[in-house]
Amino acid sequence: MPFLPVEKQRTFEARVDLVPRIVEWIEGVAEEAGLHPRQQQHLALSTEEAVMNICSYAYKIPPGEVTIQVSSTPERCRVIFRDRGIPFDPFSLEEPDLGASMEDREIGGLGILLMRRVMDEVHYTREGDENLLRFEIYPRERES
Amino acid sequence: MVLRSMDTCDVVTVSGRMDAVTAPEFEKQCLKWMEEGHKNFLLDFSSLEYISSAGLRSILGVAKKAKPLGGKVVLSGLSGVVAEVFSISGFDAFLPIVETPEAGKGLF
């Protein structure tokens, strides 16, 4: 299946109960772009984590909105999440201590760790009153 | 989610997706089973297609609450991206992982 140029944008309410629908939407886009099945799964996972952070931390009076923009070419698939919440740099958080025992293991930071490991690149910038989180995926050929 | 008793533990089959919506339901159900006296859970993930950090947190929550009761949580049947998520998170360091439920019987 060839990689197809895809340009999509959609705005959702940032609500936990809508996360499955948002993930379903991004899965459809990833499929349309011809991403490798494993990369589709990675994008679905990272999207849930990104949107959950926005649902949980971004807006003082939830729900706010998140706009997701996908632009995919055979060379790279770029996914940008924009919200107008308070500035939140996911890289300002410490990574969880992976060597900690079960009792000491904290529950925070896991989502950011996962997206950083499964996406090829993750970038954060603050532009005006918006948080921008950007994923870059280098498309891998599907096994035929 | 289905609970079935084996000789040393209860096998919980979780299929589909463990996400921000379904993971809290999973945790709530397990805590209910704990109140009913179950404490050793063998989670059969062979039909689980997807797990996010919300799923990991719910499993950690169940494992932490089982421990003071003298119980534990063992995972089985992880594959693909689900196995990858466990490996990245480091949860495989403190939660025993086996291939099949039968292989986990002796761990309780």
Side-chain angles (χ1 to χ4, degrees), chain A residues 16-17 19-20 23 27 38 41-42 44-45 48-49 52 98 100-103 105 107 110-111 113-114 117-118, chain B residues 17 19-21 49-54 56-57 60 63-64 67 80-81 84-85 88-91 94-95:
Chain A
V16 174
D17 61 312
V19 168
V23 170
E27 282 173 335
R38 182 55 74 95
Q41 293 173 317
H42 286 163
L45 171 66
E48 174 174 334
E49 304 300 351
M52 278 302 284
L98 300 187
S101 66
M102 184 172 88
E103 290 71 23
R105 195 58 197 265
I107 56 167
L110 272 174
L113 172 77
L114 289 172
R117 295 293 160 83
V118 300
Chain B
R17 305 169 75 90
D19 60 22
V21 171
E49 296 155 14
Y50 174 96
I51 188 164
S52 66
S53 67
L56 293 175
R57 274 195 289 277
L60 184 63
K64 279 187 174 179
K67 199 165 184 192
V81 74
E84 191 183 0
V85 165
I88 293 171
S89 67
F91 275 35
F94 54 78
L95 291 175

Side-chain angles (χ1 to χ4, degrees), chain A residues 24-75:
Chain A
E24 198 180 317
W25 177 77
I26 203 89
E27 282 173 335
V29 177
E31 167 86 39
E32 201 179 317
L35 290 185
H36 187 282
R38 182 55 74 95
Q39 293 185 311
Q40 292 182 28
Q41 293 173 317
H42 286 163
L43 179 56
L45 171 66
S46 302
T47 296
E48 174 174 334
E49 304 300 351
V51 174
M52 278 302 284
N53 276 331
I54 295 168
C55 295
S56 311
Y57 310 119
Y59 292 99
K60 283 185 183 136
I61 308 167
E65 284 184 339
V66 54
T67 297
I68 309 177
Q69 194 182 338
V70 183
S71 58
S72 190
T73 67
E75 287 74 41

Side-chain angles (χ1 to χ4, degrees), chain B residues 48-108:
Chain B
L48 188 69
E49 296 155 14
Y50 174 96
I51 188 164
S52 66
S53 67
L56 293 175
R57 274 195 289 277
S58 66
I59 293 164
L60 184 63
V62 173
K64 279 187 174 179
K65 290 188 182 88
K67 199 165 184 192
L69 305 173
K72 72 201 273 194
V73 171
V74 173
L75 313 174
S76 77
L78 279 65
S79 66
V81 74
V82 173
E84 191 183 0
V85 165
F86 273 93
S87 158
I88 293 171
S89 67
F91 275 35
D92 52 358
F94 54 78
L95 291 175
I97 297 177
V98 293
E99 297 267 313
T100 62
E102 283 65 32
K105 279 196 291 193
L107 296 175
F108 293 93

